[in-house]
Amino acid sequence: MFFSKGKLLLIPDSSEILLYGTPRDARCAMVSGRVVLLSRTERMVNSLVVRFRPKQEDLLNPAMSIANLSEITCTIVKDGRAGPTSEEKPFSPQTCSQEWRFSMGIPGNINESVFSPSAFIAYELVAELRTSSVVQWAPFCKLAAAVPIAVKRAPATDSALTAIASEPVSVAAKWRDRIELTAMAGSRIVHDSRSFRISGVV
């Protein structure tokens, strides 16, 4: 006979955390999102915890983690009861799901995400849930889900760097006297999701 443990989904509101200012003066940021338990029937949830932590090293990757943060924990359900600040949606037979919202503060002095061949700083959100077991010989079922979270840093809005960074920028380069490219942006700070113009001459 087939027993379904269900499936756990971790859905952050954003895949990145943006900190404004240097590590010495940056304020805390917030990371929030949803945890969804997909199951054919309603399950008794004993505990649900979401952790923000440095990403663990991969045995197949020689790079070493150098993050200076241990982990930050947000307890959503404990001993079968949701916390007073937790938002819980009961089991829905139409969607076969239960849902919880979470939110936690992230200190402004943590290092930004960085990757190199020998070392890296990376972070992830991990949700761990324990429910009543679907079989008699096991006391509980444990489900887990993890998603990467990028930490980025930008100058504070009231700093002198912000005024300088807001100026338009144009960078030109020539390769072997054959190809000349010019990149133009409306600001010295270009976010990953923002496009900028590149023109060239061959």
Side-chain angles (χ1 to χ4, degrees):
M1 182 178 295
F2 174 74
F3 297 97
S4 174
K5 295 194 304 181
K7 183 178 181 180
L8 191 65
L9 303 178
L10 178 55
I11 309 171
D13 292 333
S14 175
S15 61
E16 63 182 40
I17 298 173
L18 186 58
L19 302 172
Y20 291 95
T22 66
R24 300 180 63 178
D25 56 20
R27 296 183 178 180
C28 293
M30 299 297 295
V31 57
S32 59
R34 298 180 294 138
V35 180
V36 181
L37 172 62
L38 302 178
S39 178
R40 296 176 183 175
T41 58
E42 184 175 4
R43 305 287 297 278
M44 174 62 184
V45 176
N46 299 327
S47 66
L48 173 58
V49 175
V50 176
R51 293 183 173 89
F52 176 80
R53 68 185 188 188
K55 191 173 181 180
Q56 299 177 356
E57 297 176 0
D58 189 349
L59 294 177
L60 301 179
N61 187 345
M64 177 180 60
S65 174
I66 56 174
N68 63 351
L69 178 74
S70 53
E71 70 175 30
I72 300 172
T73 302
C74 175
T75 301
I76 303 174
V77 178
K78 183 179 181 180
D79 297 330
R81 296 183 179 181
T85 59
S86 303
E87 298 181 24
E88 179 181 6
K89 289 186 178 180
F91 178 78
S92 170
Q94 289 75 24
T95 60
C96 295
S97 66
Q98 296 170 254
E99 182 177 319
W100 299 264
R101 284 203 60 85
F102 69 90
S103 178
M104 69 176 81
I106 306 299
N109 63 348
I110 65 173
N111 294 324
E112 307 94 289
S113 300
V114 178
F115 298 90
S116 74
S118 59
F120 68 90
I121 299 175
Y123 303 92
E124 63 181 357
L125 277 177
V126 179
E128 296 178 351
L129 179 145
R130 289 190 177 188
T131 69
S132 54
S133 178
V134 294
V135 292
Q136 296 181 354
W137 59 84
F140 59 84
C141 288
K142 182 178 179 180
L143 298 174
V147 294
I149 296 291
V151 175
K152 303 179 181 181
R153 190 175 299 276
T157 55
D158 57 349
S159 70
L161 289 176
T162 301
I164 298 175
S166 62
E167 299 176 355
V169 61
S170 176
V171 179
K174 184 178 292 187
W175 182 74
R176 293 187 178 181
D177 294 328
R178 296 182 180 180
I179 301 177
E180 183 177 353
L181 297 177
T182 303
M184 292 167 285
S187 169
R188 294 180 181 272
I189 299 176
V190 180
H191 296 283
D192 293 343
S193 59
R194 183 185 301 176
S195 60
F196 56 94
R197 181 181 176 187
I198 297 179
S199 61
V201 178
V202 180

